Amino acid sequence: MLDRVPTAPDPAVDPADYEAVRRAIAFISEAWKSQPETEAIADAAGLDVRQLNALFRRWAGLTPKAFLQAVTFDHARRVLAASGNVFDAALDLGLSGPSRLHDLFVSFEAMSPGEWKQGGAGATVWYGVHPSPFGAALVMATARGLAGLAFADAGGEASALADMRARWPAAHLVEDAARTAPLARRIFDATAWRPEAPLRVVLIGTDFQIRVWETLARIPLGRAATYADVAAAIGQPAAVRAVGAAVGRNPVAFVVPCHRVVGQGGALTGYHWGLTRKRAMLGWEAGRLAAAAGVDHMVSG
């Protein structure tokens, strides 16, 4: 029987925001080719235009129209083309440029092959559900760092926990939202993203999966890579299908940015936690990048 999954309140995030954003994105996803007017998006979200504009500026730092442009196929295709060899570009960027200014810096540690084969036996995993810009976020942690991050729409928290529990089948899971709350704040508060204080992440998976997940973390904010790009980056260009499977099994959503992986040509392909949520993440990041570019502009101007 699954444990109760409580939600720890966070005054910095309004859970109603993502629900309204989700409705708007669902509509945009269907109607983007016609570039719908703001009034139509507002109506789909159950808001008036003033409320919609305020929501998107508060949530993403973008107007609804700018957000619409950021999640279209044409935009994804342009981003992909501009990214070039994204993994070489990541090395060139270092800590400079707007795409690194607001990046979520992480350090990785992999569970040993023996620990993976034992399903995390002997490990204690604490978990809690917290509000986030992308709906309810299930945060899981061990004494060594962040161990899992999943998302759920209202009522889906238990299913998300069951999914994540399967990643650590032999571990001892303990509900402790107070313990995971600081991690949730660290992940979703962009002001806390500092290279001198990287987020510690512990991964459990096969050697191949961990190589894929660590490679995903090299995709900078505002860039994109294809499955073929990832396969080439790990030195196995023929393993595109296996890379796709590993991307789908990513246990630390958002932090390991599998949402930045797109299909050949820029198509926004499926996402384990829902394609609407993937669009939300890309649009939210576009807002962070626009804010960073604004800072750069002010500094250079």
Side-chain angles (χ1 to χ4, degrees), residues 126-262:
W126 296 279
Y127 70 90
V129 176
H130 306 271
S132 86
F134 314 111
L138 171 63
V139 178
M140 305 178 72
T142 72
R144 293 152 69 175
L146 178 71
L149 178 59
F151 294 98
D153 294 324
E157 294 87 353
S159 294
L161 177 58
D163 182 286
M164 295 304 290
R165 183 190 292 273
R167 320 293 180 98
W168 298 80
H172 177 51
L173 266 65
V174 178
E175 173 197 322
D176 192 343
R179 188 162 189 147
T180 54
L183 281 173
R185 285 192 292 270
R186 168 65 177 79
I187 293 165
F188 299 112
D189 179 2
T191 63
W193 298 358
R194 295 188 178 94
E196 68 272 15
L199 177 66
R200 293 174 57 202
V201 178
V202 58
L203 298 172
I204 185 169
T206 66
D207 177 67
F208 179 86
Q209 289 173 330
I210 290 171
R211 287 170 60 203
V212 169
W213 299 335
E214 290 180 337
T215 300
L216 298 181
R218 292 166 51 198
I219 306 173
L221 186 149
R223 301 292 184 105
T226 66
Y227 298 97
D229 291 333
V230 177
I234 64 171
Q236 297 191 37
V240 175
R241 189 178 296 274
V243 163
V247 170
R249 292 290 296 169
N250 171 25
V252 191
F254 184 69
V255 172
V256 176
C258 54
H259 58 280
R260 296 178 193 162
V261 181
V262 298

Side-chain angles (χ1 to χ4, degrees), residues 30-180:
E30 296 293 327
W32 69 266
K33 287 185 179 179
S34 63
Q35 292 290 292
E37 295 299 324
T38 302
E39 290 79 4
I41 300 173
D43 186 60
L47 304 170
D48 61 36
V49 171
R50 180 186 60 80
Q51 291 171 324
L52 183 74
N53 278 312
L55 167 65
F56 270 83
R57 287 191 179 280
R58 178 173 69 248
W59 178 79
L62 296 172
T63 66
K65 292 294 283 186
F67 182 90
L68 170 62
Q69 294 169 357
V71 298
T72 63
F73 172 74
D74 288 342
H75 176 77
R77 189 166 52 190
R78 287 194 298 272
V79 167
L80 188 62
S83 294
N85 187 328
V86 71
F87 300 108
D88 287 346
L91 295 175
D92 292 339
L93 280 170
L95 301 181
S96 65
S99 63
R100 302 306 283 184
L101 182 61
H102 277 234
D103 217 350
L104 201 171
F105 298 94
V106 299
S107 64
F108 290 106
E109 176 185 347
M111 300 288 276
S112 70
E115 289 172 312
W116 172 73
K117 288 180 180 178
Q118 295 172 25
T124 296
V125 179
W126 296 279
Y127 70 90
V129 176
H130 306 271
S132 86
F134 314 111
L138 171 63
V139 178
M140 305 178 72
T142 72
R144 293 152 69 175
L146 178 71
L149 178 59
F151 294 98
D153 294 324
E157 294 87 353
S159 294
L161 177 58
D163 182 286
M164 295 304 290
R165 183 190 292 273
R167 320 293 180 98
W168 298 80
H172 177 51
L173 266 65
V174 178
E175 173 197 322
D176 192 343
R179 188 162 189 147
T180 54

